[in-house]
Amino acid sequence: MSESAAMTDVLQRLQKLEDMQALQALKAQYLRACDQKQPELVRECFVEHGAVIEADGFPPIIGRDGWVETFTRLAVENPSIQDRHHAHNPQILFTDADSAIVLWDLDFCQVNVKERTIVNLSGQYTDECVRIAGRWQVKSMRFQRNSFVMRQVAEDGSEKVLALGQPPAAGFIENS
């Protein structure tokens, strides 16, 4: 291999590593913004036009503004809700130089101090990401739930399971 070809190979590998880090940072920004109830930072994670957000138990949402409105209504405007998202095990597949599919496992906990409920769920995100003007953003995000449990905590600290396997029909966040 020529010195020029070797340098090109090293630069391509370095770019791939930088892109992988940027994609992981993008998901971290999204999840942290959700937990900290920062809708403008959530908005920045998605492409300006045509973003698609799907999650089990909710109708599909087209457009980042629709997602931010839903997020604001369900979480930001409800001070009783405390969320914690923990994503791990990223698997990144580059489909070309400026697009990737990223799978993430998620463990999620929501505490509603007013209703005294705790929700734990796990599942998988499938994110389609694109690089626009040098910055990675989410084009589509799909969340598929694997497990779900909702408990209520009584004044004496005892817990009662309200739902196991499937959330209540109206959706766990709206009922909380």
mmCIF file of all heavy atoms in Angstrom, residues 22-23 26-27 29 41-49 51 64 98-100 102 127-141:
data_model
loop_
_atom_site.group_PDB
_atom_site.id
_atom_site.type_symbol
_atom_site.label_atom_id
_atom_site.label_comp_id
_atom_site.label_asym_id
_atom_site.label_seq_id
_atom_site.Cartn_x
_atom_site.Cartn_y
_atom_site.Cartn_z
ATOM 1 N N ALA A 22 -20.075 11.159 17.336
ATOM 2 C CA ALA A 22 -21.094 12.194 17.152
ATOM 3 C C ALA A 22 -22.503 11.607 17.243
ATOM 4 O O ALA A 22 -23.406 12.232 17.819
ATOM 5 C CB ALA A 22 -20.891 12.898 15.811
ATOM 6 N N LEU A 23 -22.709 10.412 16.702
ATOM 7 C CA LEU A 23 -24.020 9.767 16.784
ATOM 8 C C LEU A 23 -24.363 9.401 18.235
ATOM 9 O O LEU A 23 -25.512 9.549 18.668
ATOM 10 C CB LEU A 23 -24.062 8.535 15.887
ATOM 11 C CG LEU A 23 -24.097 8.850 14.390
ATOM 12 C CD1 LEU A 23 -23.722 7.622 13.568
ATOM 13 C CD2 LEU A 23 -25.456 9.396 13.981
ATOM 14 N N LEU A 26 -25.280 12.600 19.979
ATOM 15 C CA LEU A 26 -26.616 13.030 19.578
ATOM 16 C C LEU A 26 -27.677 12.348 20.440
ATOM 17 O O LEU A 26 -28.592 13.005 20.957
ATOM 18 C CB LEU A 26 -26.849 12.720 18.094
ATOM 19 C CG LEU A 26 -28.258 12.949 17.547
ATOM 20 C CD1 LEU A 26 -28.653 14.415 17.631
ATOM 21 C CD2 LEU A 26 -28.327 12.437 16.100
ATOM 22 N N LYS A 27 -27.571 11.040 20.626
ATOM 23 C CA LYS A 27 -28.553 10.324 21.448
ATOM 24 C C LYS A 27 -28.458 10.769 22.901
ATOM 25 O O LYS A 27 -29.492 10.942 23.576
ATOM 26 C CB LYS A 27 -28.355 8.807 21.338
ATOM 27 C CG LYS A 27 -29.522 8.024 21.888
ATOM 28 C CD LYS A 27 -30.781 8.330 21.099
ATOM 29 C CE LYS A 27 -31.894 7.343 21.339
ATOM 30 N NZ LYS A 27 -33.022 7.596 20.430
ATOM 31 N N GLN A 29 -27.574 13.710 23.967
ATOM 32 C CA GLN A 29 -28.216 15.029 24.044
ATOM 33 C C GLN A 29 -29.726 14.874 24.101
ATOM 34 O O GLN A 29 -30.391 15.515 24.913
ATOM 35 C CB GLN A 29 -27.840 15.899 22.846
ATOM 36 C CG GLN A 29 -28.589 17.231 22.834
ATOM 37 C CD GLN A 29 -28.329 18.061 21.598
ATOM 38 O OE1 GLN A 29 -27.260 18.003 21.013
ATOM 39 N NE2 GLN A 29 -29.319 18.849 21.186
ATOM 40 N N LEU A 41 -33.739 21.737 23.188
ATOM 41 C CA LEU A 41 -32.642 20.810 22.907
ATOM 42 C C LEU A 41 -33.157 19.524 22.267
ATOM 43 O O LEU A 41 -32.477 18.932 21.428
ATOM 44 C CB LEU A 41 -31.848 20.500 24.175
ATOM 45 C CG LEU A 41 -30.968 21.632 24.700
ATOM 46 C CD1 LEU A 41 -30.275 21.218 25.993
ATOM 47 C CD2 LEU A 41 -29.952 22.065 23.662
ATOM 48 N N VAL A 42 -34.356 19.098 22.650
ATOM 49 C CA VAL A 42 -34.983 17.951 21.990
ATOM 50 C C VAL A 42 -35.182 18.278 20.512
ATOM 51 O O VAL A 42 -34.830 17.491 19.631
ATOM 52 C CB VAL A 42 -36.330 17.582 22.660
ATOM 53 C CG1 VAL A 42 -37.123 16.607 21.808
ATOM 54 C CG2 VAL A 42 -36.100 17.007 24.054
ATOM 55 N N ARG A 43 -35.720 19.454 20.221
ATOM 56 C CA ARG A 43 -35.984 19.883 18.844
ATOM 57 C C ARG A 43 -34.708 19.834 17.988
ATOM 58 O O ARG A 43 -34.731 19.386 16.856
ATOM 59 C CB ARG A 43 -36.565 21.300 18.837
ATOM 60 C CG ARG A 43 -36.902 21.823 17.453
ATOM 61 C CD ARG A 43 -37.333 23.296 17.457
ATOM 62 N NE ARG A 43 -38.178 23.680 18.561
ATOM 63 C CZ ARG A 43 -39.496 23.498 18.633
ATOM 64 N NH1 ARG A 43 -40.128 22.924 17.630
ATOM 65 N NH2 ARG A 43 -40.185 23.881 19.683
ATOM 66 N N GLU A 44 -33.600 20.282 18.539
ATOM 67 C CA GLU A 44 -32.334 20.338 17.796
ATOM 68 C C GLU A 44 -31.840 18.965 17.338
ATOM 69 O O GLU A 44 -31.048 18.875 16.415
ATOM 70 C CB GLU A 44 -31.240 20.970 18.652
ATOM 71 C CG GLU A 44 -31.394 22.438 18.879
ATOM 72 C CD GLU A 44 -30.311 22.984 19.793
ATOM 73 O OE1 GLU A 44 -29.323 22.265 20.072
ATOM 74 O OE2 GLU A 44 -30.463 24.134 20.238
ATOM 75 N N CYS A 45 -32.306 17.924 17.973
ATOM 76 C CA CYS A 45 -31.829 16.575 17.645
ATOM 77 C C CYS A 45 -32.422 16.048 16.340
ATOM 78 O O CYS A 45 -31.884 15.106 15.762
ATOM 79 C CB CYS A 45 -32.160 15.617 18.785
ATOM 80 S SG CYS A 45 -31.276 15.994 20.316
ATOM 81 N N PHE A 46 -33.510 16.649 15.872
ATOM 82 C CA PHE A 46 -34.233 16.129 14.712
ATOM 83 C C PHE A 46 -34.069 17.030 13.492
ATOM 84 O O PHE A 46 -33.888 18.244 13.629
ATOM 85 C CB PHE A 46 -35.719 15.986 15.053
ATOM 86 C CG PHE A 46 -35.977 14.959 16.110
ATOM 87 C CD1 PHE A 46 -35.995 15.309 17.451
ATOM 88 C CD2 PHE A 46 -36.167 13.629 15.771
ATOM 89 C CE1 PHE A 46 -36.205 14.362 18.438
ATOM 90 C CE2 PHE A 46 -36.384 12.668 16.746
ATOM 91 C CZ PHE A 46 -36.401 13.032 18.080
ATOM 92 N N VAL A 47 -34.183 16.421 12.323
ATOM 93 C CA VAL A 47 -34.127 17.192 11.078
ATOM 94 C C VAL A 47 -35.263 18.202 11.077
ATOM 95 O O VAL A 47 -36.326 17.974 11.675
ATOM 96 C CB VAL A 47 -34.183 16.289 9.823
ATOM 97 C CG1 VAL A 47 -32.979 15.366 9.762
ATOM 98 C CG2 VAL A 47 -35.476 15.498 9.755
ATOM 99 N N GLU A 48 -35.048 19.301 10.400
ATOM 100 C CA GLU A 48 -36.027 20.389 10.403
ATOM 101 C C GLU A 48 -37.339 19.997 9.736
ATOM 102 O O GLU A 48 -38.412 20.373 10.190
ATOM 103 C CB GLU A 48 -35.435 21.620 9.726
ATOM 104 C CG GLU A 48 -36.314 22.838 9.812
ATOM 105 C CD GLU A 48 -35.658 24.090 9.264
ATOM 106 O OE1 GLU A 48 -34.478 24.039 8.873
ATOM 107 O OE2 GLU A 48 -36.343 25.115 9.219
ATOM 108 N N HIS A 49 -37.258 19.242 8.647
ATOM 109 C CA HIS A 49 -38.456 18.891 7.891
ATOM 110 C C HIS A 49 -38.573 17.374 7.747
ATOM 111 O O HIS A 49 -37.613 16.716 7.363
ATOM 112 C CB HIS A 49 -38.433 19.524 6.500
ATOM 113 C CG HIS A 49 -38.321 21.016 6.544
ATOM 114 N ND1 HIS A 49 -39.360 21.823 6.952
ATOM 115 C CD2 HIS A 49 -37.288 21.838 6.243
ATOM 116 C CE1 HIS A 49 -38.966 23.082 6.891
ATOM 117 N NE2 HIS A 49 -37.714 23.119 6.473
ATOM 118 N N ALA A 51 -39.225 14.835 9.960
ATOM 119 C CA ALA A 51 -38.852 13.844 10.969
ATOM 120 C C ALA A 51 -40.063 12.959 11.277
ATOM 121 O O ALA A 51 -41.201 13.425 11.280
ATOM 122 C CB ALA A 51 -38.368 14.519 12.243
ATOM 123 N N ARG A 64 -40.680 17.403 13.775
ATOM 124 C CA ARG A 64 -40.094 17.591 15.103
ATOM 125 C C ARG A 64 -40.939 18.501 15.987
ATOM 126 O O ARG A 64 -40.978 18.332 17.198
ATOM 127 C CB ARG A 64 -38.660 18.092 14.986
ATOM 128 C CG ARG A 64 -38.510 19.494 14.437
ATOM 129 C CD ARG A 64 -37.055 19.857 14.285
ATOM 130 N NE ARG A 64 -36.893 21.260 13.926
ATOM 131 C CZ ARG A 64 -35.725 21.844 13.808
ATOM 132 N NH1 ARG A 64 -34.613 21.157 14.007
ATOM 133 N NH2 ARG A 64 -35.638 23.115 13.490
ATOM 134 N N ASP A 98 -23.121 9.906 4.799
ATOM 135 C CA ASP A 98 -23.912 10.881 5.549
ATOM 136 C C ASP A 98 -25.212 10.325 6.107
ATOM 137 O O ASP A 98 -26.143 11.084 6.409
ATOM 138 C CB ASP A 98 -24.215 12.096 4.658
ATOM 139 C CG ASP A 98 -22.956 12.869 4.309
ATOM 140 O OD1 ASP A 98 -22.123 13.086 5.205
ATOM 141 O OD2 ASP A 98 -22.805 13.244 3.130
ATOM 142 N N SER A 99 -25.304 9.021 6.267
ATOM 143 C CA SER A 99 -26.503 8.433 6.875
ATOM 144 C C SER A 99 -26.132 7.150 7.614
ATOM 145 O O SER A 99 -25.188 6.459 7.254
ATOM 146 C CB SER A 99 -27.594 8.172 5.833
ATOM 147 O OG SER A 99 -27.149 7.258 4.868
ATOM 148 N N ALA A 100 -26.900 6.897 8.660
ATOM 149 C CA ALA A 100 -26.634 5.725 9.493
ATOM 150 C C ALA A 100 -27.923 5.271 10.154
ATOM 151 O O ALA A 100 -28.845 6.062 10.369
ATOM 152 C CB ALA A 100 -25.592 6.062 10.564
ATOM 153 N N VAL A 102 -28.967 3.482 13.705
ATOM 154 C CA VAL A 102 -28.384 3.221 15.020
ATOM 155 C C VAL A 102 -29.432 2.554 15.899
ATOM 156 O O VAL A 102 -30.539 3.075 16.069
ATOM 157 C CB VAL A 102 -27.886 4.520 15.683
ATOM 158 C CG1 VAL A 102 -27.126 4.192 16.970
ATOM 159 C CG2 VAL A 102 -27.000 5.331 14.738
ATOM 160 N N ASP A 127 -32.928 4.351 15.216
ATOM 161 C CA ASP A 127 -32.814 5.728 14.738
ATOM 162 C C ASP A 127 -32.196 5.743 13.353
ATOM 163 O O ASP A 127 -31.160 5.111 13.128
ATOM 164 C CB ASP A 127 -31.920 6.559 15.660
ATOM 165 C CG ASP A 127 -32.476 6.729 17.059
ATOM 166 O OD1 ASP A 127 -33.670 6.463 17.264
ATOM 167 O OD2 ASP A 127 -31.701 7.137 17.941
ATOM 168 N N GLU A 128 -32.824 6.462 12.430
ATOM 169 C CA GLU A 128 -32.208 6.770 11.139
ATOM 170 C C GLU A 128 -31.656 8.174 11.263
ATOM 171 O O GLU A 128 -32.414 9.119 11.538
ATOM 172 C CB GLU A 128 -33.225 6.715 10.012
ATOM 173 C CG GLU A 128 -33.672 5.323 9.654
ATOM 174 C CD GLU A 128 -34.602 5.341 8.457
ATOM 175 O OE1 GLU A 128 -34.237 5.930 7.417
ATOM 176 O OE2 GLU A 128 -35.691 4.763 8.577
ATOM 177 N N CYS A 129 -30.361 8.306 11.097
ATOM 178 C CA CYS A 129 -29.702 9.592 11.273
ATOM 179 C C CYS A 129 -29.054 10.024 9.961
ATOM 180 O O CYS A 129 -28.601 9.180 9.180
ATOM 181 C CB CYS A 129 -28.639 9.498 12.358
ATOM 182 S SG CYS A 129 -29.304 9.020 13.973
ATOM 183 N N VAL A 130 -29.035 11.336 9.748
ATOM 184 C CA VAL A 130 -28.403 11.907 8.558
ATOM 185 C C VAL A 130 -27.525 13.074 8.986
ATOM 186 O O VAL A 130 -27.802 13.742 9.988
ATOM 187 C CB VAL A 130 -29.452 12.371 7.518
ATOM 188 C CG1 VAL A 130 -30.207 11.180 6.945
ATOM 189 C CG2 VAL A 130 -30.413 13.374 8.105
ATOM 190 N N ARG A 131 -26.488 13.270 8.186
ATOM 191 C CA ARG A 131 -25.623 14.420 8.420
ATOM 192 C C ARG A 131 -26.084 15.532 7.479
ATOM 193 O O ARG A 131 -26.134 15.346 6.264
ATOM 194 C CB ARG A 131 -24.160 14.085 8.138
ATOM 195 C CG ARG A 131 -23.244 15.235 8.459
ATOM 196 C CD ARG A 131 -21.781 15.038 8.088
ATOM 197 N NE ARG A 131 -21.407 13.727 7.657
ATOM 198 C CZ ARG A 131 -20.479 12.968 8.243
ATOM 199 N NH1 ARG A 131 -19.838 13.398 9.290
ATOM 200 N NH2 ARG A 131 -20.173 11.777 7.748
ATOM 201 N N ILE A 132 -26.441 16.660 8.067
ATOM 202 C CA ILE A 132 -26.870 17.826 7.300
ATOM 203 C C ILE A 132 -25.974 18.992 7.709
ATOM 204 O O ILE A 132 -25.882 19.312 8.904
ATOM 205 C CB ILE A 132 -28.356 18.161 7.573
ATOM 206 C CG1 ILE A 132 -29.237 16.982 7.140
ATOM 207 C CG2 ILE A 132 -28.762 19.451 6.866
ATOM 208 C CD1 ILE A 132 -30.693 17.128 7.497
ATOM 209 N N ALA A 133 -25.343 19.595 6.713
ATOM 210 C CA ALA A 133 -24.446 20.732 6.969
ATOM 211 C C ALA A 133 -23.412 20.389 8.046
ATOM 212 O O ALA A 133 -23.126 21.189 8.935
ATOM 213 C CB ALA A 133 -25.245 21.977 7.333
ATOM 214 N N GLY A 134 -22.892 19.166 7.976
ATOM 215 C CA GLY A 134 -21.833 18.744 8.893
ATOM 216 C C GLY A 134 -22.297 18.280 10.263
ATOM 217 O O GLY A 134 -21.474 17.928 11.100
ATOM 218 N N ARG A 135 -23.608 18.254 10.514
ATOM 219 C CA ARG A 135 -24.136 17.895 11.837
ATOM 220 C C ARG A 135 -25.107 16.724 11.722
ATOM 221 O O ARG A 135 -26.004 16.738 10.890
ATOM 222 C CB ARG A 135 -24.863 19.108 12.411
ATOM 223 C CG ARG A 135 -25.367 18.904 13.810
ATOM 224 C CD ARG A 135 -25.807 20.247 14.406
ATOM 225 N NE ARG A 135 -26.481 19.978 15.651
ATOM 226 C CZ ARG A 135 -27.796 19.913 15.796
ATOM 227 N NH1 ARG A 135 -28.584 20.132 14.765
ATOM 228 N NH2 ARG A 135 -28.331 19.647 16.967
ATOM 229 N N TRP A 136 -24.916 15.716 12.581
ATOM 230 C CA TRP A 136 -25.814 14.568 12.603
ATOM 231 C C TRP A 136 -27.121 14.941 13.285
ATOM 232 O O TRP A 136 -27.137 15.615 14.318
ATOM 233 C CB TRP A 136 -25.154 13.401 13.334
ATOM 234 C CG TRP A 136 -24.076 12.746 12.533
ATOM 235 C CD1 TRP A 136 -22.731 12.963 12.645
ATOM 236 C CD2 TRP A 136 -24.246 11.781 11.503
ATOM 237 N NE1 TRP A 136 -22.063 12.196 11.742
ATOM 238 C CE2 TRP A 136 -22.970 11.449 11.017
ATOM 239 C CE3 TRP A 136 -25.350 11.160 10.928
ATOM 240 C CZ2 TRP A 136 -22.766 10.527 10.008
ATOM 241 C CZ3 TRP A 136 -25.152 10.243 9.910
ATOM 242 C CH2 TRP A 136 -23.876 9.935 9.463
ATOM 243 N N GLN A 137 -28.246 14.478 12.690
ATOM 244 C CA GLN A 137 -29.570 14.674 13.262
ATOM 245 C C GLN A 137 -30.406 13.420 13.004
ATOM 246 O O GLN A 137 -30.107 12.637 12.102
ATOM 247 C CB GLN A 137 -30.264 15.885 12.636
ATOM 248 C CG GLN A 137 -29.615 17.211 12.991
ATOM 249 C CD GLN A 137 -30.359 18.356 12.356
ATOM 250 O OE1 GLN A 137 -30.425 18.464 11.147
ATOM 251 N NE2 GLN A 137 -30.925 19.225 13.190
ATOM 252 N N VAL A 138 -31.467 13.275 13.780
ATOM 253 C CA VAL A 138 -32.365 12.134 13.641
ATOM 254 C C VAL A 138 -33.403 12.444 12.562
ATOM 255 O O VAL A 138 -34.095 13.453 12.637
ATOM 256 C CB VAL A 138 -33.066 11.808 14.974
ATOM 257 C CG1 VAL A 138 -34.039 10.655 14.798
ATOM 258 C CG2 VAL A 138 -32.038 11.494 16.059
ATOM 259 N N LYS A 139 -33.495 11.546 11.589
ATOM 260 C CA LYS A 139 -34.510 11.643 10.538
ATOM 261 C C LYS A 139 -35.759 10.865 10.955
ATOM 262 O O LYS A 139 -36.878 11.303 10.723
ATOM 263 C CB LYS A 139 -33.947 11.093 9.230
ATOM 264 C CG LYS A 139 -34.906 11.113 8.073
ATOM 265 C CD LYS A 139 -34.235 10.562 6.826
ATOM 266 C CE LYS A 139 -35.222 10.471 5.682
ATOM 267 N NZ LYS A 139 -34.591 9.906 4.488
ATOM 268 N N SER A 140 -35.562 9.696 11.539
ATOM 269 C CA SER A 140 -36.684 8.936 12.078
ATOM 270 C C SER A 140 -36.221 8.207 13.332
ATOM 271 O O SER A 140 -35.070 7.786 13.436
ATOM 272 C CB SER A 140 -37.261 7.952 11.058
ATOM 273 O OG SER A 140 -36.414 6.850 10.890
ATOM 274 N N MET A 141 -37.147 8.115 14.282
ATOM 275 C CA MET A 141 -36.863 7.440 15.546
ATOM 276 C C MET A 141 -38.058 6.545 15.844
ATOM 277 O O MET A 141 -39.199 6.990 15.877
ATOM 278 C CB MET A 141 -36.676 8.459 16.675
ATOM 279 C CG MET A 141 -36.382 7.830 18.028
ATOM 280 S SD MET A 141 -36.080 9.081 19.311
ATOM 281 C CE MET A 141 -37.750 9.724 19.536
#
